[in-house]
Amino acid sequence: MRRLMVAAVAGGLLAVAIPGAAGSAHATEVLKDLTCSGPVTLTFKNPVTDAAASNSYTVEGSLDDCYSAAGTNSNVDHGTISSVGTGTFSCVSYHPFSGTATFTWYDVNNRNLGRTTVSFQGGEKGNSGGSEVTNDETGITDVTSTLLPLNSYQGSFDLSGITGSCDTGVTALTGKHEVDFSLASL
């Protein structure tokens, strides 16, 4: 079975320690402001086949499992994601992609808490199994975001379904999107 290496977007856990400045007596730590996951659908503008071609995509979905380890955003219960991006995609080769995602956040009573916008760069991290896609994206949230401004962003996408085939063209992917927003603090 041929391995599907279509680059797709979404979130993951940031496991980065940022060292303090040289000669500093203080270490810098990463505070996990918000971690969420949920189902998304990625739709390609043009079907993806074995032939590498420039393409664009959209991602729509919900983030229904949110947690703030640092406690700074513990009022966020769930959210939505709307993302657009571009890249060169193929079923048989790796190519990077980039895009912009907008997250809208809600509390347990479904009250709107604000938005977060992030521009990201990504790439496929693929699994060795046939037709499996795992991807990674990173970026910094926009300073104008009403929630989580200037946070580091990490996202990943774990494939659960494919619409189409590499022979006829893959038109959409479904999967679980995981996102992590973190802020460095002295």
Side-chain angles (χ1 to χ4, degrees):
M1 181 179 237
R2 162 177 44 182
R3 184 166 179 228
L4 177 66
M5 294 183 66
V6 177
V9 289
L13 299 179
L14 181 63
V16 177
I18 303 170
S24 170
H26 301 284
T28 301
E29 63 180 311
V30 174
L31 301 176
K32 302 290 186 190
D33 277 0
L34 188 64
T35 300
C36 298
S37 64
V40 298
T41 299
L42 182 147
T43 305
F44 292 102
K45 180 177 181 183
N46 301 307
V48 176
T49 63
D50 287 348
S54 294
N55 207 340
S56 62
Y57 63 85
T58 60
V59 173
E60 298 291 333
S62 61
L63 301 170
D64 47 20
D65 184 16
C66 293
Y67 174 72
S68 179
T72 53
N73 289 286
S74 58
N75 58 335
V76 176
D77 179 70
H78 62 282
T80 62
I81 178 176
S82 180
S83 180
V84 296
T86 59
T88 301
F89 303 101
S90 143
C91 289
V92 295
S93 59
Y94 163 80
H95 296 282
F97 55 85
S98 61
T100 302
T102 300
F103 300 88
T104 304
W105 306 110
Y106 301 92
D107 68 11
V108 69
N109 296 312
N110 213 33
R111 285 187 293 245
N112 187 311
L113 298 173
R115 289 182 180 246
T116 303
T117 302
V118 61
S119 295
F120 57 83
Q121 300 290 319
E124 190 263 342
K125 288 171 48 176
N127 292 331
S128 59
S131 295
E132 293 184 4
V133 179
T134 303
N135 297 277
D136 189 67
E137 57 194 39
T138 59
I140 301 293
T141 61
D142 191 282
V143 68
T144 62
S145 295
T146 57
L147 197 68
L148 305 162
L150 296 177
N151 268 229
S152 292
Y153 166 78
Q154 180 85 19
S156 68
F157 177 83
D158 293 317
L159 180 70
S160 63
I162 300 171
T163 302
S165 71
C166 291
D167 293 331
T168 60
V170 173
T171 57
L173 304 172
T174 55
K176 181 179 180 182
H177 187 57
E178 296 181 13
V179 298
D180 185 57
F181 298 90
S182 301
L183 188 61
S185 175
L186 291 177

